[in-house]
Amino acid sequence: MATESRPATAAPELLAYVDGLRVDADRMDGYAERLRGAAERLRDCAGAPEWSGAALERQATACVTAAVQLRAAAAALLAHAAE
């Protein structure tokens, strides 16, 4: 994760919120990894429904998308704080 510079004049509450967004983005990336791992394990499980792996992959993709959006929101807040 790249660390962006923080505006010296930004409110501490705003910076804390930016940090929270970044933590949430990292969490979403972790969830995506876990979902992809579960999808892989289910592919090797004879009793798993055929659709389950694809459903988990879709959810993993949604988590990655959410992580990207959370990081973009954090960057936008920092840019706003720098104005």
Side-chain angles (χ1 to χ4, degrees):
M1 172 177 86
T3 303
E4 297 176 40
S5 63
R6 296 169 154 243
T9 59
E13 301 85 20
L14 180 63
L15 296 177
Y17 195 74
V18 167
D19 288 343
L21 289 172
R22 289 177 174 165
V23 167
D24 288 344
D26 290 344
R27 221 178 260 141
M28 294 306 289
D29 282 334
Y31 294 149
E33 287 179 36
R34 290 173 57 189
L35 287 163
R36 287 195 171 116
E40 186 64 35
R41 286 188 299 280
L42 283 174
R43 280 189 202 97
D44 298 331
C45 182
E50 193 172 308
W51 52 263
S52 61
L56 290 171
E57 286 291 343
R58 284 192 302 276
Q59 291 302 311
T61 299
C63 287
V64 170
T65 299
V68 168
Q69 292 171 342
L70 287 164
R71 287 189 182 95
L77 283 174
L78 277 179
H80 172 75
E83 294 176 351

